Amino acid sequence: MDRVSSFDEPLKKLLGGATAKVMAEHLDLHTVGDLLHHYPRRYEERGKLTALADLPLDEHVTVLAQVADARILMFNNGRGKRLEVTLTDGSGRLQLVFFGHGVHKPHKELLPGRQAMFAGKVSVFNRKMQLAHPTYQLLDASDADEATEAVDAFAGRLLPIYPACKQLDSWRIAKAVDAVLPSAQDAVDPLPASLREGRGFTPLPEALLKVHRPQTKADVEDAKARLKWDEAFVLQVALARRRYADTQLPAVARRPVADGLLDAFDAKLPFTLTEGQEKVSKEIFDDLATEHPMHRLLQGEVGSGKTMVALRAMLTVVDAGGQAAMLAPTEVLAQQHHRSITEMMGELAEGGMLGGSDRGTKVVLLTGSMGMAARRQALLDLVTGEAGIVIGTHALIEDKVQFHDLGLVVVDEQHRFGVEQRDALRSKGKQPPHLLVMTATPIPRTVAMTVFGDLETSVLDQLPAGRSPIASHVVPAKDKPHFLARAWERVREEVENGHQAYVVCPRIGDDAEEADGKKGKAKKKAVDEDPEKRPPLAVLEIADELRKGALAGLTVEVLHGRMHPDEKDDVMRRFAAGDVDVLVATTVIEVGVNVPNATAMVIMDADRFGVSQLHQLRGRVGRGSAPGLCLLVSEAHEASPARARLSAVAATLDGFELSRIDLEQRREGDVLGQAQSGVRSSLRMLTVIDDEEVIAAAREEAVAIVAADPELEHLPELRTVLAALLDKDREEYLDKG
């Protein structure tokens, strides 16, 4: 069998159809290689009993414990049988329950003193932790010779505990791994020999053997160090090749023009740019002046002036004879950008119109809900080149939209945009346009190197002058209801002082959400049984309560995603104009909404939002000269992780610090997101947050290797592994940047 194909061998050939089917459907493991890269989550030492005292509720667990006693109980007047087994491990006790016909085998096998591994879902019955109908594997044999053999086999051996599922326990996965482990010797080693020897890494076949069947803890550390490096290195080579390929693409250089639009714009600015804005603008202008497409990620705190930097880049491109397109994730945001950009530009945004500047250009808006006539005019302005700047949603990507000469694409809030959409817009240029991606979610360095690894990064970390500090506090509504009453008083005080406020809720709360009757019933039942599991608070209900109660007499309006775009725009306009005191909204206000007079925000059920989202939302207040106030209302228990998260948000305004906390809590799955399923399926050992040094070192090596040999002609093994990693799905996440 040749070296690659044993890894490509379908599991059903080696394990039998039923097991292979469960592995494919529930664990996404299809080939021998997939299973060999399904690493143990942790290891148990034989004889060392797991702490039963620390079992998590509602989780599927594997424990190693000893039977203390077992007894059969009758119920239903003797018609029903129940076997109750008590386990112990010195730290705590755990009850197992078996019912009906399922009691005979365990009754014979689970005798006091026997040791076994048990797997099942932890639940509570009569205030006691229990596993109902767990699967188990005895670890001691009754026959003396067999017992000695079993002890020899397990003595001092670390037992691997695999990520499992209800249909397949950890030890059945371990047995399957035993069947495929001989194929580990066929592993294609992606690391060039010089790198492997230079860093003293274990050979790959040995690392796979050590991670699955370690003799000692040192074996585990050895294997992990090697496997982490492989993941980081292969990924960074893929990204380095992508960056290299981009530098080979042609683009039209767009150089600044003296006395053009940009100079006219800068001259009318009522303030000076911050040092950070100057520095980042220079990086962008240098990129625009080259004959290869710019690929830059601009990350900056909410309110750090990213839009200003992006607008100056767009004006430079217009000066150089091209057009610029800004892509926003929602219509509300596109309209908001259009409004703020035309306001900033004044008569410079009225090129060709009466009273417009002769150095000006047209700035058009293009969204899906525009009327036919306005849409036709916008399309005409784009194809003739009359409009230098267009701002829109993904409606910009439709086939009908033609540009005269697209030179720059600015994508706002990258994580809301899919790969295909961005590529479709790219293809609108005669040559690939320059690309600037903006995000207000601060991204830790390692994530930037991994998720956005094919982009150069610029960071705006100073807030412009005139931005005010925001005070944040957690309001424990359940423990201290008077705190919530005080929160509404604070909102009223802000309004009396001439300011405005936001109230944010996780849900809209109209009938469309409960249209599915079954869901509604299930929800109601859960609420009856457990008040903790009530549905999240809703915009429409809270707005209603506030109008009648705590904020009676104030103008309270709602804003959410299911409103008609014109209606949304009308509410936003009136709020911006100061005609609305309090806006009760969903997270549609999370990005881009700019109302400097809004000073207070109350976030209901704040524990239902992620850390970055709370930070984004909070950035909507304190945008003017008056200080901002953000109140995080929660019913979560004081000792819960949810409350700890809220306290972290209240304690710091540093988005980079918060993004780190966020990443530590959520781990990679959510951070890399669905659009990056490729990275997720290839990062099994590497954790983006903990392995910063590994990622940085791997990136350096990868850059050097690709610079010396872009096609990897002298590294066929690395090419083979890359080809396997970058199948269709996985290639796509690389396009995300």
Side-chain angles (χ1 to χ4, degrees), residues 327-400:
L327 210 52
T330 64
E331 294 210 351
V332 168
L333 196 47
Q335 288 159 348
Q336 179 82 33
H337 276 317
H338 183 254
R339 213 166 24 241
S340 62
I341 283 174
T342 46
E343 276 166 19
M344 280 197 270
M345 286 176 65
E347 76 281 3
L348 295 174
E350 295 163 0
M353 295 188 224
L354 203 61
S357 160
D358 51 0
R359 281 190 287 186
T361 185
K362 234 180 185 187
V363 179
V364 301
L365 176 69
L366 189 62
T367 62
S369 65
M370 278 168 75
M372 269 320 285
R375 191 181 167 76
R376 202 171 291 126
Q377 186 58 52
L379 291 172
L380 189 65
D381 288 341
L382 286 180
V383 77
T384 59
E386 187 88 6
I389 294 176
V390 58
I391 294 150
T393 53
H394 50 260
L396 274 179
I397 296 166
E398 291 169 14
D399 294 342
K400 289 193 204 81

Side-chain angles (χ1 to χ4, degrees), residues 89-134:
D89 71 347
S91 80
R93 295 168 90 79
L94 176 68
Q95 190 142 12
L96 310 180
V97 203
F98 300 87
F99 293 98
H101 297 304
V103 305
H104 306 304
K105 187 167 179 258
H107 188 221
K108 274 191 263 178
E109 293 180 338
L110 298 177
L111 305 171
R114 299 298 295 269
Q115 204 179 36
M117 284 209 288
F118 301 88
K121 195 171 181 183
V122 184
S123 57
V124 170
F125 182 70
N126 278 346
R127 295 191 173 170
K128 283 185 186 162
M129 294 276 229
Q130 72 165 28
L131 298 183
H133 275 286

Side-chain angles (χ1 to χ4, degrees), residues 38 213 365 520:
H38 185 71
R213 298 296 172 262
L365 176 69

Side-chain angles (χ1 to χ4, degrees), residues 65-70 85-89 93-94 110-114:
Q66 198 160 20
V67 177
D69 70 72
V85 179
T86 306
L87 303 181
T88 178
D89 71 347
R93 295 168 90 79
L94 176 68
L110 298 177
L111 305 171
R114 299 298 295 269

Side-chain angles (χ1 to χ4, degrees), residues 25 30 188 191 234 355-356 366 419 432 484 557 613 631 641 697:
E25 284 175 11
H30 307 273
V188 176
L191 296 192
V234 171
L366 189 62
V419 180
L484 183 57
E557 293 278 4
Q613 208 172 22
L631 301 174

